[in-house]
Each structure stands twice: as structure tokens, then as C-alpha cells.
Amino acid sequence: MSDTPRSAPPPASEPGASDRHRARLLGPAEVRRLAERLGVSPTKKLGQNFVIDPNTIRRIVRAGAVTADDVVVEVGPGLGSLTLGLLDVARRVVAVEIDPTLAAALPETLAEYAPGIAAGEVEFELVHADALRVTELPGPPPTALVANLPYNVAVPVLLHMLERFPSIERTLIMVQAEVADRLAAEPGSRVYGVPSVKARWYADVKRAGSIGRNVFWPAPNVDSGLVRLDRRPTPPGERREAFAAVDAAFAQRRKTLRSALSGWAGSPAAAEEALVAAGIEPSARGETLTVEEFARLAQKRPKAVDR
């Protein structure tokens, strides 16, 4: 297909939508019919909850600011609900699916519901793998990550993808509401912690909305939230060193940094010396530090400490 940029088409519900072959989104009946045909029963082990509301799919695509110029990577496409919404807008979608049954069935589903693939107007490629083990993707580098992430692996998958694929400029994920709150929390918040700091190493993070339980099948026991991440320059210093400081600070979050970082620095005195050198009050707690302060602190770690 041509690489000539195309402007993003208006939503399918609007009059005068693009003449390109539009994808048909899955509703409750289609999702259940596909699952029955495949003999699929959503499992808690894989955190599977399939979206059955087309309006929610459109909302996710809009919140992710997906355009016709994007190469989108999707993690956990499942039966293809979100995949179809992405194919209705993006130039190319690469889906990473761990479940062998779902991975095998997805191309056939997309061929039926997204005629734009056969027409050569959009591209789709499937990667059957564990997203946490993916180190490369086929085709052009991805520009966006959009996913309904399984609750049990949401943060590790997010951080792994942001680390491995620096070309990802924008990310929109749907996760458990509690996880969304933690990712978007600001320093000083009671839920600000390891996920909050590490996500900010890569991007500016903000809440992008709330999602109720009734848009899923089966309905989960918790509400969900949308989180938007926009890539920004990483702080100076070595990521592994900074993340080690973050892990140590929050492992004992009620303690002062002088105490919590004693093992990381080699002793309480060494921790205090590093904190002072970084311009951080030793009596402060990890929940008050920005990612830039953790990066600065990591550069002051005593060289003699066994890494």
C-alpha cells in the first residue's frame, strides 16, 4: 500500500464518513457468537474481559488520538473488538496475543469485519507471543500503543513496551481503576508509588476517563480507567540505577529515605550523603519525590556499593 499520509476519517456514526472500507465493530451478540464458535470461555488467569460496547471502542480510539498515519501496537486483542476500532482509523495495526486459540481465530474475524484489509487500505499483522517477551515487532516501528491490558500484568507490560519501543509516541491503555489511579498519581498522593514514578520515566501520564463494568463480558468485579501517556525525553542518568532507587524507597514507604535507602546505598550514613548530594532532604519519604529527583539521586549512589 502507499505510504502517502491520509487524514483521519470521521467517526463511522457521522454522515459523510470516509469512502474507505469501514470496519464493523463487535457488539454483545457478535462477541458471544464468536466466543461460542471458538469454544472460548474468558479466563481469570489471563485476565480476559471482552469489550462488547462499540461506543467504548470508539472512545478509546479517540482518547488515544489515533490517526491514519499511525502504526499501532495492540496487546491482548482477544476476539478483536478494539482491533477493529483501530483498523477503522490507523494505517497499520500489529496485535500481540498470547492465547493460541484467540491468535489463530483473529485473522479470520478481521477479514470478515474489516474489508479494508483485503482492499489494501489498512495493514494488519499478528504476533503470537507473550508481550513481556516481545523484543521486536514486524514492519515499521510503532508510533502508538493502545490496549485493554489484563489487570494482572498491566504495569509490567506497559513498562516493557515503553522501554523496548522508544518509537511509541502515544499510549492509551484501559486498566483496572485502581491501577489507573496509581499510574496517574502525582507526588504526595497516598497512591503515588513505583508504577507512578516508573511510568513517568518515559512519559507524561494522566487519567483519560473512567469505564464502567457493563461494557465487558464477563463483567469484572471492578471498574476500569483509561490512562494516556505521551512520550517525553527521559531524565538524565541510567534507568536501572534510578529504578533500583525507586524500588528501595517504596519497599519501606513509611520510613524516611535515609532509612529506606540504607541497603541501596550501603548504610544509613551513605544514604544520607547521597540524598544531600542530590539536594534531597534525608528525612523525606519516597512518595514526595519526582522521577527527576530519583534520577538525580541515582547518580549520587556510592560507587563502592555492590551492584
Side-chain angles (χ1 to χ4, degrees):
M1 62 177 281
S2 171
D3 287 332
T4 302
R6 293 173 282 114
S7 57
S13 58
E14 291 185 7
S18 170
D19 290 335
R20 64 185 286 202
H21 293 73
R22 305 208 65 88
R24 291 183 291 132
L25 304 188
L26 303 179
E30 291 84 1
V31 169
R32 288 184 171 88
R33 184 164 59 245
L34 283 170
E36 182 178 359
R37 187 173 77 194
L38 298 175
V40 170
S41 296
T43 67
K44 288 186 177 181
K45 179 180 179 181
L46 294 179
Q48 292 171 328
N49 298 94
F50 301 130
V51 180
I52 58 175
D53 178 46
N55 286 329
T56 297
I57 295 300
R58 296 186 185 99
R59 180 183 172 192
I60 292 171
V61 175
R62 286 196 304 269
V66 177
T67 74
D69 296 325
D70 277 317
V71 176
V72 182
V73 57
E74 179 191 7
V75 176
L79 293 171
S81 298
L82 179 54
T83 316
L84 288 166
L86 293 169
L87 286 169
D88 205 34
V89 178
R91 172 168 67 94
R92 174 179 168 84
V93 176
V94 178
V96 181
E97 177 58 64
I98 189 173
D99 185 295
T101 301
L102 295 174
L106 187 59
E108 181 180 347
T109 300
L110 299 183
E112 177 182 354
Y113 286 89
I117 296 176
E121 294 181 339
V122 291
E123 297 177 1
F124 171 77
E125 197 151 355
L126 175 71
V127 176
H128 177 206
D130 180 347
L132 287 171
R133 297 180 179 274
V134 170
T135 57
E136 60 182 7
L137 293 169
T143 59
L145 166 64
V146 182
N148 171 21
L149 290 178
Y151 296 162
N152 53 346
V153 295
V155 172
V157 166
L158 171 66
L159 297 178
H160 173 75
M161 297 299 288
L162 291 175
E163 178 195 348
R164 294 300 308 183
F165 302 101
S167 61
I168 293 175
E169 301 166 355
R170 282 164 286 107
T171 296
L172 194 287
I173 55 172
M174 179 161 59
V175 293
Q176 182 177 339
E178 180 183 352
V179 176
D181 289 341
R182 290 184 181 279
L183 283 169
E186 297 288 345
S189 166
R190 64 180 182 82
V191 296
Y192 182 75
V194 172
S196 323
V197 182
K198 291 184 177 180
R200 280 172 173 75
W201 180 268
Y202 304 101
D204 292 321
V205 188
K206 65 179 181 179
R207 266 292 218 130
S210 299
I211 302 292
R213 308 177 190 191
N214 60 347
V215 305
F216 296 96
W217 175 71
N221 296 324
V222 295
D223 292 330
S224 299
L226 300 178
V227 180
R228 169 78 179 260
L229 300 96
D230 291 278
R231 178 79 69 168
R232 65 185 182 92
T234 59
E238 214 280 318
R239 180 187 60 83
R240 291 180 184 272
E241 288 284 7
F243 281 14
V246 172
D247 290 336
F250 286 101
Q252 304 177 74
R253 66 181 296 148
R254 291 188 177 183
K255 293 188 175 183
T256 65
L257 287 171
R258 182 184 190 278
S259 177
L261 295 176
S262 60
W264 170 82
S267 70
E272 179 170 350
E273 182 179 347
L275 288 159
V276 171
I280 300 168
E281 173 58 51
S283 63
R285 288 175 171 77
E287 64 200 44
T288 66
L289 268 59
T290 65
V291 65
E292 288 81 11
E293 288 174 314
F294 274 111
R296 196 163 68 240
L297 173 62
Q299 296 179 65
K300 303 301 181 181
R301 187 183 188 187
K303 301 299 183 184
V305 177
D306 182 12
R307 283 150 170 75

